[in-house]
Amino acid sequence: MTDAHTAPASPEPRPAGAVPDDFHVFDTTLRDGAQREGINLTVADKLTLARHLDDYGVGFIEGGWPGANPRDTEFFQRARAEIDFRHAQLVAFGATRKAGVRVEDDPQVAALLESGAPVVTLVAKSHVGHVELALRTTPEENLAMVADTVAYLRDRGRRVFLDCEHFFDGYALDAAYAKQVVRTASEAGADVVVLCDTNGGMLPAQVAAVVRTVLADTGARLGIHAQDDTGCAVANTLAAVDAGATHVQCTANGYGERVGNSNLFPVVAALELKYGRAVLPPGKLAETTRVSHAIAEVVNLTPATHQPYVGVSAFAHKAGLHASAIKVDPDLYQHIDPALVGNTMRMLVSDMAGRASIELKGKELGIDLGGDRELVGRVVARVKERELAGYTYEAADASFELLLRDELARDGERGRAARFFRTESWRAIVEDRPDGSHANEATVKLWAKGERIVATAEGNGPVNALDRALRVGLERIYPQLARIELVDYKVRILEGRQGTGSITRVLISSTDGNGEWATVGVAENVIAASWQALDDAYAYGLLRAGAEPQE
Amino acid sequence: MTDAHTAPASPEPRPAGAVPDDFHVFDTTLRDGAQREGINLTVADKLTLARHLDDYGVGFIEGGWPGANPRDTEFFQRARAEIDFRHAQLVAFGATRKAGVRVEDDPQVAALLESGAPVVTLVAKSHVGHVELALRTTPEENLAMVADTVAYLRDRGRRVFLDCEHFFDGYALDAAYAKQVVRTASEAGADVVVLCDTNGGMLPAQVAAVVRTVLADTGARLGIHAQDDTGCAVANTLAAVDAGATHVQCTANGYGERVGNSNLFPVVAALELKYGRAVLPPGKLAETTRVSHAIAEVVNLTPATHQPYVGVSAFAHKAGLHASAIKVDPDLYQHIDPALVGNTMRMLVSDMAGRASIELKGKELGIDLGGDRELVGRVVARVKERELAGYTYEAADASFELLLRDELARDGERGRAARFFRTESWRAIVEDRPDGSHANEATVKLWAKGERIVATAEGNGPVNALDRALRVGLERIYPQLARIELVDYKVRILEGRQGTGSITRVLISSTDGNGEWATVGVAENVIAASWQALDDAYAYGLLRAGAEPQE
């Protein structure tokens, strides 16, 4: 580690399109959000998340704790090199210097400078119990640790925010000391002092009262960091804003330790739509639903269906008491227009709604079902039966279009099935050798344009081997395959319906450079399910390439 | 339908163990909660839910809308006959009489009497816009509908609560009329007038202000019904209580239309633990987690892992920073003792976890690491390196314990690795035959107790075939394997966006009838990852069975 204070990495400049500084939307998904049980982020994941959050327009992105673990150190290096931030500033998280150590001798503090982040959030104790039990030092030394570390980083050109851990519990125990920590940080040059409800036990009325008093008694610029243990994190965040806080710390989808953190999306939506305060760049609020779902995909969690504003159910109305009135005037039964946050109203499916959505879907895919009730009915029935078996077409447009074309093909002149080859059989072999290496080999037997094809290939796994064998076998007949590439592969195990064994669903995303499409396969084993999704992926790719359907 | 007002069904008596009447916990899971997308309750489901809610100790259970659909009518008949309520009173939901119809001629009102429910909740309009657009009548007639229906039911021995639909939106539009509806209901004999945020667009400060004013201006007993569209339903409910409401309407797990309703469990927990108000019978709060999960099972939804108070993650700690302090005193990092709501604290092992969480985890697993800093450091390093490679130990306690034992085994006398067999090699073949059938065959070559074993088996998939081959090969040497069963299998593709170089993580849950354990495997292909998880699963199962470790 280089000597940081003789050769500090120069901090990043403020982004051109940076949002105004009078109110901070501070995202800590990459740091505090990553502590959610079940989230395990790679550096690549963190870079992707940072791009989404910067694009959405948050003012600050807390990337992690450089020096604390190799992943976070690497993230800051790569983020500076690879991401051109348009709205957000990158924030490094760390702790005040150790007790009894000179700040310039604390390697953890040096790592904060080396990260090159223009902003640093320091976590500090403001609860005398924690100072004694957790830090094992005196209240006076704790104040010195705060003052020294804030001043040291300020002197080296960093902007400093101070997170007061356990502030509300500490305030209940010893309000004078808690406020002294706020004053000390503020006087040492911290731009914002963040009051953290670390254990998440607070309720909005308590938060508002404390924030109001601390603001009056210290005059410091205050922020709020709420955890959701009482189910009130969003309300606690807004209560702090009502009381004068001008900096809110949140995580995307409320990810975080235990129950989670204050959820960025309902907080931003409330500030923009209920408070009339523009906290995002113009037009970004309408990206909320997309960004929320994209982030869920990156962290590999299913988007929460009932999340406020962005859940697929958030504006779904069940038939009954409301249905008739909704037709009169949707605003009677919605608190906002869903389009404001990029979501849509849904009437939950009756059979009629089912037909309507199939027709709509057909139009979306450029296939006019011409109100053919018999055909549409057949497609509805087929989709219901397939979805009952585990298929999902919401996530697999290409497979749905192929299904639609198959049904159209049934009545002769309405086009023909987009099938370019037929599978006779295939075989995949996975071998774990005594030397620990793996061999993956696949053989496929196909028919295309009346020709029987037998091809074998190896791969880094059985599915990859099948993929290669299929290409080897078909590329002479369909050279268009060369441009098709698989870009994503997802597996979900679905519980068997009636105690039968579980079944496997595979979703594959493919691209030809001009666009991406998704296909689905379902079977009792992962290889067979993957083959179905591969079959659809290539059939749809060849359809896009304008190849002539012929088996 | 019998003539209800000449022969009214006699209402149920008040239950013996009924909770005091000065504060009402009113559950509407069976009525409003059933509106949640994905919930579809049978009469049997409703009866089971009613038993759980009565046992938990809510004061009122709203069972549905008798007469509106046959299912609800049947529910009330059977609930009276089959359930001996110990705490709750059954509530029938319905609407005020139709415009221009005499209340005694309204069959919907008659059905409320016939249900035999001792309490009736009437939904009424308090928003002039809805009166005109949805009811298509005059504000005056709407008031008459309220007065007539309340009085009629009161005269026939029913207790009446009035739900003012869209109260807060209506109040914003025409406060005088909204309050007139409250006065009218109260004067006609409604015991409680419930202010409903039907569209769920309110925030706590607004709710508190309106409730306070309405209470002062009407003197009626007020209740609150909040929807969660802003993510503030629990906070809105508590804000109304702060302002003087003494009746809260909630649903178990917050089930309800769109985003959902105010969640019964965090509301009750806050009232009991934060307000110090006993709203449940003695001892029932500790049943909260069990009841929440049982209800999720009945409605066939997975219990929400991150639900406040009751989620399996609600008291799970991951950050190394916190773990060191938790070791000193758990209360420093928990807002309540989890046992108060029947939940438990859990330590998660992860790349973020420091030494302290490893030691705590060791204790949890009954392994005393005796503060051996060198050993613990080795384990921390091993865990970080493995999690960087894609392993996750949070969800795989058994694999973590095996890792811990391997490390312990390195320094001779500290026990030995829990390894019972060694893999020489294995092979899995998946074949898709011309007739469409699949063949899955696996061969394993193992060493156990100095003996070389070669075994082959078929299965419904390659992993199942490997599992069977492993059992076939080992069951003679380890008969304990017969009692071990795989109960769950999860697959995750990590860094799938790269197209190539993605790795596969497999999590397997196993049981021996006495308990369940989870193991993890990571490899470039799903079969190899599955084999690792299987290997750990059987090693840990044999360890539990007290088998002698020997390869």
Side-chain angles (χ1 to χ4, degrees), chain A residues 35-39 166 199 201 257-258 274 300 306 313 318 332 346 424-426 428 430 432 438 487, chain B residues 34 37 39 199 201 257-258 274 306 313 318-319 332-333 346 394 424-426 428 430 432 434 492 496 524:
Chain A
Q35 301 197 18
R36 182 194 203 267
E37 181 170 16
I39 288 185
H166 299 282
N199 293 358
E257 191 170 37
R258 304 190 310 275
K274 311 285 181 180
N300 205 356
H306 288 66
S313 296
K318 234 177 188 175
L332 287 183
R346 283 166 51 229
E424 177 184 304
S425 70
W426 52 260
V430 184
D432 174 89
H438 289 134
V487 289
Chain B
E37 183 172 12
I39 288 185
N199 293 357
E257 192 170 35
R258 304 189 310 275
K274 311 285 181 181
H306 289 66
S313 296
K318 188 172 183 179
L332 288 182
Y333 284 88
R346 282 165 52 235
E394 285 166 19
E424 179 185 301
S425 69
W426 52 259
V430 184
D432 173 90
R492 279 267 160 98
E524 82 287 351

Side-chain angles (χ1 to χ4, degrees), chain A residues 430-437, chain B residues 422-428 443-447 452-455 466 531:
Chain A
V430 184
E431 198 159 1
D432 174 89
R433 301 215 188 86
D435 66 6
S437 67
Chain B
R422 184 166 52 76
T423 304
E424 179 185 301
S425 69
W426 52 259
R427 183 176 67 241
T443 300
V444 299
K445 298 176 183 172
L446 310 168
W447 290 84
R452 184 166 185 268
I453 297 147
V454 177
L466 280 167
W531 177 263

Side-chain angles (χ1 to χ4, degrees), chain A residues 126-129 165-179 196-197 201-202 206 210 214:
Chain A
S126 53
H127 181 300
V128 285
E165 238 198 341
H166 299 282
F167 186 85
F168 295 89
D169 301 323
Y171 185 91
L173 185 73
D174 184 343
Y177 186 74
K179 285 188 281 192
C196 304
D197 179 21
M202 292 296 122
Q206 301 168 295
V210 172
V214 173

Side-chain angles (χ1 to χ4, degrees), chain B residues 109-416:
Chain B
V109 175
L112 293 172
L113 287 172
E114 281 175 348
S115 73
V119 184
V120 172
T121 301
L122 290 174
V123 60
K125 302 288 184 188
S126 53
H127 182 300
V128 284
H130 283 264
V131 169
E132 282 146 19
L133 276 164
L135 285 186
R136 295 201 170 69
T137 185
T138 66
E140 297 67 30
E141 170 65 358
N142 180 55
L143 291 174
M145 288 153 63
V146 169
D148 295 353
T149 320
V150 171
Y152 179 79
L153 292 169
R154 282 278 307 205
D155 294 347
R156 280 149 187 79
R158 305 309 193 266
R159 186 175 193 185
V160 181
F161 302 153
L162 190 94
D163 276 3
C164 291
E165 238 198 341
H166 298 283
F167 186 86
F168 294 90
D169 301 323
Y171 185 92
L173 185 74
D174 183 343
Y177 185 74
K179 285 188 282 192
Q180 190 51 46
V181 173
V182 175
R183 271 193 214 90
T184 303
S186 187
E187 286 158 6
D191 285 334
V192 181
V193 179
V194 183
L195 311 188
C196 304
D197 179 21
T198 308
N199 293 357
M202 292 295 122
L203 299 174
Q206 301 168 293
V207 169
V210 172
V211 170
R212 197 171 285 111
T213 311
V214 173
L215 189 60
D217 296 356
T218 67
R221 179 175 184 176
L222 299 181
I224 181 73
H225 177 114
Q227 299 285 137
D228 202 31
D229 299 73
T230 60
C232 296
V234 169
N236 285 344
T237 303
L238 298 173
V241 171
D242 294 338
T246 56
H247 169 115
V248 296
Q249 295 194 350
C250 302
T251 63
N253 302 324
Y255 299 142
E257 192 170 35
R258 304 189 310 275
V259 173
N261 288 49
S262 182
N263 186 341
L264 175 68
F265 303 118
V267 166
V268 163
L271 290 169
E272 292 249 349
L273 301 173
K274 311 285 181 181
Y275 287 60
R277 184 197 289 262
V279 296
L280 293 179
K284 290 301 184 180
L285 186 65
E287 306 274 310
T288 302
T289 300
R290 183 187 59 76
V291 172
S292 166
H293 292 208
I295 286 173
E297 289 308 323
V298 175
V299 304
N300 198 18
L301 292 170
T302 312
T305 55
H306 289 66
Q307 193 177 158
Y309 297 94
V310 301
V312 294
S313 296
F315 297 93
H317 300 276
K318 188 172 183 179
L321 179 66
H322 292 189
S324 53
I326 289 168
K327 231 174 99 213
V328 179
D329 177 0
D331 296 342
L332 288 182
Y333 284 88
Q334 294 181 157
H335 71 115
I336 60 162
D337 173 356
L340 292 171
V341 290
N343 208 339
T344 51
M345 179 181 113
R346 282 165 52 235
M347 291 305 306
L348 306 176
V349 175
S350 107
D351 142 326
M352 245 166 293
R355 299 164 161 283
S357 35
I358 297 283
E359 278 183 48
L360 274 175
K361 194 70 192 172
K363 276 201 185 63
E364 211 177 290
L365 298 173
I367 302 173
D368 179 18
L369 300 178
D372 178 337
R373 297 191 56 74
E374 187 279 333
L375 169 69
V376 173
R378 224 162 58 209
V379 176
V380 172
R382 183 90 183 278
V383 167
K384 284 191 176 186
E385 157 219 319
R386 302 269 287 179
E387 295 211 329
L388 206 62
Y391 290 78
T392 175
Y393 290 102
E394 285 166 19
D397 278 20
S399 288
F400 177 71
E401 181 170 344
L402 292 172
L403 180 154
L404 213 53
R405 290 181 181 274
D406 287 349
E407 291 299 331
L408 279 167
R410 288 202 191 174
D411 23 343
E413 75 293 340
R414 306 278 309 268
R416 51 203 294 198

Side-chain angles (χ1 to χ4, degrees), chain B residues 24-83:
Chain B
H24 294 168
V25 174
F26 181 107
D27 180 275
T28 181
T29 307
L30 276 60
R31 202 270 306 171
D32 218 19
Q35 297 283 312
R36 182 192 202 266
E37 183 172 12
I39 288 185
N40 198 337
L41 301 177
T42 63
V43 173
D45 293 334
K46 286 188 148 205
L47 292 166
T48 307
L49 291 172
R51 286 190 180 91
H52 280 299
L53 290 161
D54 177 52
D55 170 57
Y56 185 52
V58 302
F60 301 89
I61 297 172
E62 190 168 64
W65 192 334
N69 68 67
R71 207 184 284 179
D72 286 2
T73 307
E74 182 188 343
F75 166 77
F76 282 95
Q77 288 163 2
R78 291 186 54 186
R80 291 176 63 202
E82 298 173 23
I83 304 179

